[in-house]
Amino acid sequence: MGQLPMSLKIEYGLFKLDFTDYHAVLGIPVDADVKAVRQRYLQIARRLHPDSCKASTEVEKNQANLLLTRLVNPAYEQLSRGHRDYAASLSHLSKRLGAQGDKISLASATAKQLLQAGANLDNLYKTSVDHLASEQYQALDQALAKIAEISELNLVYLMCKSGKGETVKTSVSTPVKTQATGVTQPNSQTTTGATSQGGSVGTKGVSRVDSYIRRAEGYLVKNNFAAAVLELREALKLDQNNSDCHSLLGIAYLKQNKGTMAKVHINKALQLNPQNEKALKAKQILNELTPKSAGSQPKVSPEAAKGKPSNKSGGGLFGGLFGGKKK
């Protein structure tokens, strides 16, 4: 199921069975629910993302970005979107392990200990995965080794469960599309109800979008722009035509000195809702900070990138934008 780049090749656990173990990449149990998938992804992404990575050297930053883009992001894509092929492959692999488990060799002491767990299997498995996950991306040069060790735990757990005739229920759900917009949503959501931006998503989906927006606003106020971007990207997966999401993304990019990206989302926000106050103010500030010469790329001034107000902006980018009551 999928192929890893040679530089990220892993030869242990489920990987050695020609299966890309996305649960091991995220450091979560194979029965983790969608909420746990998302929470863990955000935690890892904040550590590895170029905008928030605390790596001290350029080599480490490049390594972090490689892990994020080639391993972590694809894992999240699979597990959050409910790709049926992955769930089916995992189920088939579990049955195969149950029938041929005695032929599987193990490398890690943790996996060998789990094999002898008996009645304590579930508790020891999840405790062991949690422990390894806490260290997984601390030292980037050890990340692949930790992923491999977690995958061996996944292998043993599936093998033992299948050997007992028990089925491991993964939370990978089958995605469905709303008739109105084709926005992909988990099939547990209701597909009735409309957003104020004209896109149709489920009522639960609307609530989730609002939650993402509130969290993003909180991150923006704290100048944690990378985290805000992650929250807003998740919101747009549920509602691609949400003017508020686009306006806040524009603001986040503007504060990161990414004028081109800021312009794209601010313009999109105003296209969806020409009266969006946040987008209008951000557009005004973007215009003030953009060179007037034709064909030049928008670039934010150093003062704006540091969060300092311009002389014309009346209190800075966030002055008045988040002054209302939080819901």
Side-chain angles (χ1 to χ4, degrees):
M1 180 69 193
Q3 295 294 324
L4 296 179
M6 288 303 296
S7 60
L8 299 175
K9 200 73 173 175
I10 301 172
E11 300 287 355
Y12 297 93
L14 297 178
F15 290 94
K16 71 179 179 182
L17 303 177
D18 280 335
F19 182 86
T20 301
D21 189 351
Y22 293 118
H23 288 90
V25 170
L26 293 186
I28 52 176
V30 291
D31 59 354
D33 61 25
V34 174
K35 182 179 179 181
V37 169
R38 179 183 168 277
Q39 288 177 338
R40 177 60 179 162
Y41 169 73
L42 288 175
Q43 185 182 49
I44 298 171
R46 286 165 192 153
R47 177 176 294 277
L48 300 180
H49 194 278
D51 293 333
S52 53
C53 180
K54 296 180 180 179
S56 56
T57 68
E58 199 63 31
V59 172
E60 288 181 333
K61 289 180 181 179
N62 290 336
Q63 190 175 8
N65 189 55
L66 183 66
L67 288 168
L68 179 63
T69 58
R70 305 301 293 274
L71 280 179
V72 176
N73 284 346
Y76 181 65
E77 173 70 15
Q78 286 282 347
L79 298 182
S80 67
R81 293 299 184 97
H83 287 213
R84 286 177 292 178
D85 288 347
Y86 180 81
S89 297
L90 189 61
S91 176
H92 175 75
L93 192 59
S94 178
K95 294 175 183 177
R96 177 178 154 195
L97 287 168
Q100 304 177 356
D102 55 342
K103 300 177 183 178
I104 301 294
S105 60
L106 301 172
S108 72
T110 311
K112 293 174 182 177
Q113 182 182 8
L114 183 63
L115 188 61
Q116 307 299 323
N120 195 37
L121 176 68
D122 290 271
N123 182 56
L124 183 58
Y125 166 63
K126 293 186 177 180
T127 300
S128 300
V129 170
D130 287 345
H131 174 70
L132 289 171
S134 69
E135 305 173 341
Q136 191 173 13
Y137 293 99
Q138 295 285 350
L140 297 180
D141 60 344
Q142 293 297 312
L144 295 184
K146 296 297 180 184
I147 292 172
E149 197 168 350
I150 293 171
S151 191
E152 278 212 329
L153 291 176
N154 292 343
L155 183 153
V156 171
Y157 183 69
L158 291 172
M159 182 173 66
C160 291
K161 281 291 192 180
S162 184
K164 295 178 181 178
E166 299 178 15
T167 302
V168 176
K169 293 184 179 180
T170 66
S171 60
V172 179
S173 58
T174 304
V176 296
K177 293 185 177 180
T178 62
Q179 292 180 349
T181 64
V183 175
T184 302
Q185 306 174 56
N187 61 4
S188 60
Q189 292 183 357
T190 306
T191 56
T192 58
T195 72
S196 60
Q197 313 303 331
S200 175
V201 296
T203 54
K204 291 182 181 178
V206 173
S207 176
R208 288 175 64 191
V209 169
D210 289 342
S211 296
Y212 288 131
I213 290 174
R214 284 196 295 270
R215 284 194 294 269
E217 288 179 339
Y219 285 130
L220 286 169
V221 170
K222 296 175 182 177
N223 292 333
N224 190 345
F225 308 121
V229 167
L230 289 172
E231 295 287 350
L232 293 166
R233 284 175 178 168
E234 289 300 304
L236 286 176
K237 288 180 182 179
L238 291 174
D239 185 3
Q240 297 174 9
N241 295 320
N242 190 298
S243 179
D244 285 340
C245 283
H246 284 288
S247 67
L248 292 174
L249 256 180
I251 291 168
Y253 284 127
L254 190 58
K255 296 290 285 184
Q256 290 177 302
N257 201 24
K258 297 179 180 179
T260 301
M261 291 296 293
K263 183 178 181 180
V264 168
H265 286 283
I266 291 168
N267 286 343
K268 180 66 173 179
L270 291 173
Q271 177 188 339
L272 293 167
N273 178 10
Q275 308 306 318
N276 188 308
E277 293 183 7
K278 292 184 179 69
L280 286 170
K281 181 163 186 180
K283 178 74 170 179
Q284 176 188 349
I285 295 170
L286 181 64
N287 289 340
E288 293 173 4
L289 300 171
T290 302
K292 297 297 188 290
S293 58
S296 60
Q297 291 294 319
K299 188 174 182 181
V300 182
S301 70
E303 290 76 16
K306 294 176 182 177
K308 296 178 181 179
S310 70
N311 292 332
K312 300 178 183 178
S313 62
L317 182 59
F318 294 108
L321 286 181
F322 306 115
K325 270 190 178 180
K326 294 258 186 359
K327 291 182 181 179

